[in-house]
Amino acid sequence: MLTKGEKRAVVALQDKRVRDERGLYVVEGDRLVREALVCGCAIESVYADADWLATAAPDLPAERVHEVSADALRQLSAQKTPQRALAVVRRAEAAWDWATAASDPVLVLEAVQDPGNLGSALRVAAWFGVGDVVVSPQGADPYGPKAVQGSMGALFHVRVHVRDLAPWVRDAQARSLPIRATALDGTSLYDAPLEARGLILLGNESSGLSDDLLNLASQRIAIPSWNPRGPGRESLNVAAAAAVVCAEMRRRCRAPGGRQVGACAGSLGVQWPAR
């Protein structure tokens, strides 16, 4: 039976300040909770009905398993239509290593406000084998309920870093790393030279990248439009833009043997393939 204290502890994680203090976040839904278990994420507790627990989480320690009713799940959930399972997961705090950007692409997102857009951008990174995503603290929280749901499990497959971007990108510049900024005045993506390493900068949904970051870029790239501009055609969704850039980069810079980023990169103790 769910106690009032347990309920308060889980519901409190809908608040970013609490998530940051505790280093925890919530994963909801049959598919996502199962994937978190398969990926070896640090599961603190699972709340689900008896049938689900018997089939999906038979090996979890008993103290981490909580059999609850559908009504109790509704009380815990941040969704309008709760599903059969919910898990509290400890964040995988990944250390940053500049050797990563020297050999692989890194997706950098400045002040992306919509958590659904952020979650979709994480899906793009996971799909195209971009193992590291760096986000600014001014944007949506990658561990918030809508971002986690929008990532569709991609959060477990990439390493997410929150950084104050301007000094961090200046550090990349000092290391002579490629810094590609998406901008309307940039060179067409299809004409620009590309490398499968360095930083790919994408900005806020309404204002794009800040001047601070644009001025640090070694290259500005633009995705050309095939239609005259007008209402609804001024710009691409940030996740769509990330997908186009990553697809073109991978098309031109495919690694020998089609190497891809290893699975479950968001979990602790993951072994990555040799670079």
Side-chain angles (χ1 to χ4, degrees):
M1 182 177 175
L2 187 68
T3 68
K4 290 182 179 180
E6 289 170 335
K7 176 187 172 183
R8 283 196 298 268
V10 175
V11 172
L13 293 173
Q14 295 178 24
D15 186 324
K16 181 181 184 301
R17 291 171 299 178
V18 177
R19 292 194 296 271
D20 289 343
E21 289 171 3
R22 299 182 185 173
L24 302 172
Y25 65 101
V26 172
V27 174
E28 290 196 55
D30 174 65
R31 178 180 176 277
L32 290 188
V33 176
R34 285 176 185 268
E35 187 160 359
L37 289 165
V38 169
C39 282
C41 293
I43 306 291
E44 293 287 309
S45 53
V46 173
Y47 301 86
D49 61 52
D51 290 342
W52 192 94
L53 291 171
T55 59
D59 299 324
L60 274 182
E63 64 272 15
R64 297 188 182 183
V65 175
H66 305 270
E67 181 183 331
V68 294
S69 65
D71 183 61
L73 277 174
R74 277 192 292 273
Q75 295 176 51
L76 297 176
S77 178
Q79 298 184 35
K80 291 182 179 178
T81 308
Q83 300 183 49
R84 292 179 62 196
L86 178 150
V88 175
V89 181
R90 184 159 297 280
R91 295 183 190 181
E93 300 293 347
W96 176 254
D97 182 355
W98 280 110
T100 297
S103 58
D104 289 317
V106 177
L107 195 62
V108 182
L109 306 173
E110 182 185 30
V112 173
Q113 297 299 312
D114 186 280
N117 283 344
L118 178 56
S120 294
L122 295 179
R123 291 177 69 184
V124 168
W127 182 264
F128 288 103
V130 177
D132 289 86
V133 178
V134 180
V135 302
S136 67
Q138 295 80 18
D141 180 13
Y143 298 99
K146 291 183 179 178
V148 173
Q149 210 66 26
S151 81
M152 294 298 290
L155 183 61
F156 314 140
H157 296 267
V158 298
R159 295 171 290 205
V160 178
H161 313 265
V162 180
R163 293 289 186 277
D164 186 2
L165 290 186
W168 184 81
V169 174
R170 279 196 290 272
D171 201 352
Q173 184 187 55
R175 296 167 186 270
S176 300
L177 292 170
I179 302 171
R180 292 177 292 278
T182 53
L184 291 175
D185 63 352
T187 302
S188 169
L189 171 67
Y190 306 111
D191 298 326
L194 294 177
E195 297 179 72
R197 69 186 191 102
L199 278 51
I200 304 169
L201 310 183
L202 294 108
N204 176 271
E205 293 92 337
S206 60
S207 56
L209 287 166
S210 65
D211 288 341
D212 285 347
L213 293 193
L214 284 172
N215 292 333
L216 291 171
S218 56
Q219 181 184 33
R220 294 190 187 190
I221 55 176
I223 301 170
S225 171
W226 297 94
N227 275 320
R229 286 190 187 156
R233 291 173 289 182
E234 290 296 333
S235 64
L236 283 175
N237 170 282
V238 64
V244 173
V245 173
C246 288
E248 178 65 8
M249 178 194 66
R250 288 305 193 197
R251 183 185 72 84
R252 282 201 258 160
C253 310
R254 188 176 295 116
R259 178 175 64 83
Q260 296 181 358
V261 172
C264 305
S267 57
L268 297 173
V270 169
Q271 297 299 309
W272 290 79
R275 300 193 188 281

